Amino acid sequence: MKVGIITYHRAKNLGAMLQSYALQQTVERNIGDCEIIDYRNENMEEAYKVKKINEIKSIKGKLKNILLNKKNTEFEKVRNEFNNNIQKISVEKYNKSNIQKANDIYDLFITGSDQVWNPKLNYNDNNYFLNFVTDNRKKNSYAASFGTNILESKEKEEIKRELKDFNKISVREKEGKEIVEKLTNRNVNLVLDPTLLLNKTQWESIIENKRLEKDKYIFVYTIASTPTIFEFAKNLAKKTNCKLIYFNSSYKKHIGMKNLNKVSPQDFLNYIKN
C-alpha cells in the first residue's frame, strides 16, 4: 500500500516541518509505504517567496523586506535542507493543474495535520480537503485543524460539502470535532498532534548526539511575543543561574538573552532535549 500525505511541508515554520515528518514516519511504521505529496500552493509559495526590493510598492513594505530578507533566505535554506535530506517527499511536484495525477500513484490519502482546513492559511484551496481524489474510500484526515472555531456561513457550507464523502475523519482540537460533527452528523475522532506520536528514541535519531550549548540554559520558544513569558524566563534564569536562549522567529531581538535566528528542526529538537 502506498500512502500520500498532503500538508504544509513547505511552510517556513519549524512546527509544520516537524509535524509532517512525524506523521509520515508514523504512517510508514504502521500502515505501509508513505511519502509527503510535494504539493505547491501558488499563493503560499508567493507569500513565502523572498522578494526583491523593486517588487514591493510601499516604503513600509520595502523597509520590512530589508529586515526580513536575510532571515527568510536563511530559513528557506534550512527548510530545503530538511526536506531534501530528512523528509520523505514525492519526486513529482504537484500544483492545482496536475494534482489529479496523484490518483494513479497512491492507494490512500491523508490530509493533515496542521491547519490544513483554515481557509485563511490555505487560501481557500480545497485540495487540502482532498477535493482532487476520485475514490472517496481513499480520503482521510489525521489531526486536521481549522485553527479557529469561528467560521462564516459560506465556509461552513463548503466544509460540509467537502467532508461528506470522507472515509475517516480525525481532528486535533475539540472545537474542530464539534464543527465537523455538527456539519456532517458523523462521529469524528479527536487525536494527538503527530509530533507526540514519536518517542524520544525516534526523535533522537535525527539530531546530533551532543549539546549545542556547554552551559546550563533555559530555552524559550513562543508563537507570539508575550512580555509575561520573557519576564518569567528572565527571573527564572537569574534564580537558577542559567543562560537564557530565545528562538526568535522575527527580525526583532530581545535584550538580556541569546537570540537564535537560524535554527534547523534538528537543532530545535536538540535545544529542547538539553
Side-chain angles (χ1 to χ4, degrees):
M1 176 176 283
K2 192 172 182 67
V3 184
I5 296 170
I6 186 167
T7 187
Y8 295 155
H9 68 290
R10 289 180 56 77
K12 289 183 182 177
N13 178 293
L14 291 180
M17 295 156 72
L18 290 170
Q19 65 81 21
S20 59
Y21 169 79
L23 184 55
Q24 182 277 322
Q25 288 287 302
T26 301
V27 172
E28 182 131 307
R29 286 188 175 94
N30 294 280
I31 298 177
D33 184 21
C34 176
E35 64 187 18
I36 297 161
I37 299 170
D38 197 1
Y39 180 68
R40 313 289 179 95
N41 177 298
E42 291 179 5
N43 291 303
M44 284 186 185
E45 295 294 313
E46 183 61 30
Y48 288 131
K49 177 184 171 185
V50 176
K51 294 179 174 62
K52 294 178 182 178
I53 196 73
N54 60 359
E55 293 180 300
I56 301 168
K57 295 179 180 179
S58 71
I59 295 175
K60 185 178 179 181
K62 289 179 186 290
L63 180 60
K64 187 176 180 181
N65 185 68
I66 292 170
L67 294 170
L68 283 175
N69 229 357
K70 184 181 178 182
K71 179 173 176 55
N72 284 341
T73 302
E74 289 177 343
F75 206 108
E76 194 169 86
K77 184 181 178 182
V78 163
R79 182 199 66 191
N80 291 344
E81 285 176 354
F82 186 74
N83 282 351
N84 292 337
N85 301 320
I86 305 295
Q87 300 273 37
K88 186 177 178 181
I89 298 177
S90 66
V91 175
E92 183 83 36
K93 294 178 176 58
Y94 298 93
N95 52 43
K96 282 187 176 182
S97 64
N98 71 348
I99 188 63
Q100 288 281 342
K101 291 165 61 178
N103 284 288
D104 299 325
I105 298 172
Y106 302 101
D107 304 299
L108 198 71
F109 292 92
I110 298 174
T111 180
S113 115
D114 221 326
Q115 294 183 35
V116 287
W117 292 343
N118 185 335
K120 292 178 178 62
L121 289 184
N122 67 25
Y123 295 91
N124 295 299
D125 186 342
N126 285 349
N127 284 322
Y128 291 101
F129 283 98
L130 303 178
N131 183 265
F132 64 92
V133 179
T134 55
D135 185 344
N136 294 331
R137 294 171 299 179
K138 294 182 178 183
K139 297 166 73 170
N140 305 273
S141 73
Y142 182 83
S145 172
F146 295 98
T148 182
N149 60 351
I150 302 172
L151 295 167
E152 296 176 8
S153 298
K154 185 179 178 181
E155 291 170 337
K156 288 180 180 178
E157 286 302 313
E158 195 162 8
I159 290 165
K160 181 179 180 179
R161 182 172 62 252
E162 293 294 343
L163 293 181
K164 66 182 175 65
D165 294 325
F166 260 58
N167 176 34
K168 298 285 185 183
I169 301 175
S170 73
V171 295
R172 71 183 189 190
E173 292 131 355
K174 290 180 180 178
E175 292 87 351
K177 177 179 169 69
E178 290 170 2
I179 289 170
V180 178
E181 288 185 339
K182 188 173 181 179
L183 292 176
T184 64
N185 196 31
R186 58 185 288 178
N187 292 324
V188 174
N189 291 320
L190 189 64
V191 296
L192 285 172
D193 184 285
T195 55
L196 302 175
L197 298 178
L198 298 190
N199 61 35
K200 182 181 177 182
T201 303
Q202 290 165 336
W203 280 123
E204 286 179 332
S205 70
I206 65 170
I207 67 177
E208 289 187 50
N209 190 27
K210 66 176 183 179
R211 292 175 62 95
L212 298 176
E213 295 285 338
K214 292 181 180 179
D215 301 325
K216 290 194 303 178
Y217 62 87
I218 292 169
F219 184 61
V220 179
Y221 171 66
T222 63
I223 299 298
S225 183
T226 311
T228 52
I229 290 178
F230 296 127
E231 184 181 350
F232 176 83
K234 285 179 180 179
N235 289 333
L236 186 62
K238 187 175 181 181
K239 183 179 178 181
T240 57
N241 197 30
C242 285
K243 190 174 185 177
L244 191 57
I245 298 175
Y246 173 50
F247 172 58
N248 189 352
S249 58
S250 79
Y251 54 84
K252 298 176 182 177
K253 292 189 176 182
H254 286 265
I255 298 171
M257 59 189 77
K258 179 178 179 179
N259 290 260
L260 295 175
N261 285 311
K262 184 184 176 183
V263 178
S264 69
Q266 300 96 306
D267 287 350
F268 177 80
L269 292 170
N270 195 311
Y271 277 110
I272 295 290
K273 176 188 173 184
N274 292 297

